[in-house]
Amino acid sequence: MTSLLARYAECIFWMARYMERAENLARILDVHETFARDSHGAKSWLPIVQLNADQDRFFARHGSAGADNVIHFYVLDQQNPTSIISAVRMARENARQLRPLISTEMWTQLNVFYNTLLELPPAELTRPNLPRLCRMMKEACQTHTGITEGTFFRDQGWYFYQLGKYLERADQTTRLLDMKYHTLLPRMADIGSPIDISQWSALLRSASAYHAFRRVYPRGMTPAAVAGFLLFNDAFPRSVVVCTNQIDQLLSRLTSKYRLRRGNLAMERVDEIQAALETHTIERVIAHGLHEYLDWLQLRLSDVSLEIGRAFFGMEQPAAA
């Protein structure tokens, strides 16, 4: 790839990741406010901070993980690089460099979304207003996806957009599962309780998986069934196995159709993930340690991103984390 094409490919890749990240966080905030409660019926906002590994950054500026602090930190705090407004800003900055390649509709919609966030008054960031605010942000991200699907030219850039989207989805799914196992259920006595079932239901809703899960499991809900669905179900578009298979196909297509030959290491990393998904059942994963399995998946997904950056963007590490 020429340096010019490499620069565009990198911008496309990260624009997709940032928009996927923004939508995912809006879904998590919305579901957490509506469904997630701890074993005493209260709502803790700390798991969201832990999900994003933001404890040090958050507590350097806030004394407690209360609702108001966490909502502001993750919606409109421009000093927080993991906030929704930061993600949309970075997507917009990447889109600015892609003006010769993206449609006017894509650029206009991203601008409108970003400016809408900039103009939100502080009064909007309250718990009663949060469901409506999250709905607006999710719909804006989904509108971006729809406009991109309908207007983005199907050349190499399209494949890099899809690579970014599916890498981010797979990573976010593993993080959601890990959070449930290690922060939302602190006591063994709570396993199988109504609050436990409520939390697993919230996890599915955070991944937009609840209704799809119910098509496979019309009754009942067990941790193994939920974790297995999000990891291994080959018909759910946000499962880790579907995302990994899509990444494999996209890299293969870049190699075969566009003769981009330097992605072999990235493809090898994807092969490792596919082998781990194909040879494990959820029962085996849980028996040997779900956290360890998810941690391994997250590291391998990070390796894939790193190798894509080395192969196609001319860099030693990704532009962002």
Side-chain angles (χ1 to χ4, degrees):
M1 296 174 68
T2 66
S3 59
L4 181 63
L5 180 55
R7 179 170 63 84
Y8 282 149
E10 183 183 8
C11 290
I12 293 167
F13 177 84
W14 282 105
M15 177 179 66
R17 292 201 71 161
Y18 282 122
M19 291 304 291
E20 187 73 21
R21 194 171 297 178
E23 181 188 348
N24 184 75
L25 185 49
R27 278 190 280 109
I28 290 170
L29 289 169
D30 189 19
V31 169
H32 192 78
E33 168 57 27
T34 306
F35 295 99
R37 294 186 180 276
D38 65 19
S39 59
H40 304 291
K43 194 184 304 292
S44 170
W45 291 83
L46 181 60
I48 296 178
V49 180
Q50 295 171 323
L51 171 67
N52 292 280
D54 279 334
Q55 294 95 314
D56 291 344
R57 183 185 295 121
F58 180 85
F59 287 110
R61 299 170 54 195
H62 300 285
S64 63
D68 292 342
N69 289 340
V70 172
I71 292 170
H72 179 267
F73 187 73
Y74 282 114
V75 177
L76 291 184
D77 190 341
Q78 298 192 56
Q79 296 180 15
N80 173 23
T82 59
S83 69
I84 290 173
I85 196 169
S86 293
V88 175
R89 182 182 69 246
M90 292 305 299
R92 179 177 175 271
E93 288 306 310
N94 281 291
R96 184 193 300 279
Q97 299 185 58
L98 296 168
R99 287 298 288 116
L101 301 184
I102 66 175
S103 67
T104 300
E105 292 88 346
M106 283 179 66
W107 172 244
T108 299
Q109 190 269 337
L110 260 178
N111 267 305
V112 169
F113 183 21
Y114 180 60
N115 287 326
T116 299
L117 293 176
L118 285 178
E119 294 168 1
L120 280 175
E124 287 292 307
L125 295 185
T126 61
R127 290 179 61 182
N129 289 331
L130 187 60
R132 179 170 55 84
L133 177 60
C134 288
R135 184 168 59 250
M136 179 275 290
M137 294 187 293
K138 288 186 294 181
E139 289 176 354
C141 292
Q142 291 160 0
T143 299
H144 163 82
T145 301
I147 291 174
T148 302
E149 174 73 26
T151 66
F152 203 169
F153 190 66
R154 290 333 193 240
D155 61 1
Q156 298 102 312
W158 172 253
Y159 291 92
F160 284 106
Y161 182 93
Q162 296 295 311
L163 279 173
K165 178 178 74 175
Y166 284 112
L167 266 171
E168 189 67 29
R169 280 189 182 179
D171 179 72
Q172 293 292 340
T173 297
T174 63
R175 291 177 185 275
L176 279 170
L177 269 174
D178 210 14
M179 180 185 73
K180 173 62 179 93
Y181 255 80
H182 292 275
T183 65
L184 292 185
L185 188 62
R187 300 190 307 170
M188 291 298 293
D190 291 329
I191 295 176
S193 67
I195 188 62
D196 184 40
I197 300 302
S198 173
Q199 289 170 350
W200 283 107
S201 174
L203 171 65
L204 286 168
R205 293 177 189 277
S206 293
S208 294
Y210 182 81
H211 294 288
F213 177 84
R214 281 304 184 202
R215 292 186 64 176
V216 180
Y217 300 95
R219 294 187 244 347
M221 184 179 297
T222 67
V226 174
F229 184 82
L230 292 176
L231 284 171
F232 301 122
N233 189 279
D234 61 4
F236 177 59
R238 293 183 181 273
S239 74
V240 176
V241 71
V242 166
C243 292
T244 303
N245 291 340
Q246 288 291 329
I247 293 165
D248 179 64
Q249 293 174 26
L250 291 160
L251 287 170
S252 298
R253 191 64 169 161
L254 283 169
T255 299
S256 62
K257 182 175 182 178
Y258 296 106
R259 302 184 183 278
L260 301 182
R261 304 293 185 186
R262 291 178 292 178
N264 290 339
L265 287 177
M267 294 178 71
E268 289 178 12
R269 299 292 180 267
V270 175
D271 287 344
E272 291 178 34
I273 299 172
Q274 288 180 307
L277 292 168
E278 290 169 0
T279 58
H280 287 71
T281 64
I282 190 57
E283 290 77 16
R284 181 183 174 191
V285 167
I286 292 175
H288 288 84
L290 179 62
H291 170 70
E292 289 75 14
Y293 186 77
L294 294 171
D295 190 54
W296 184 88
L297 284 174
Q298 290 167 20
L299 290 172
R300 295 292 80 76
L301 289 166
S302 178
D303 287 343
V304 172
S305 184
L306 177 63
E307 295 300 342
I308 287 173
R310 287 172 171 166
F312 303 120
F313 308 152
M315 59 191 305
E316 283 301 307
Q317 56 185 352

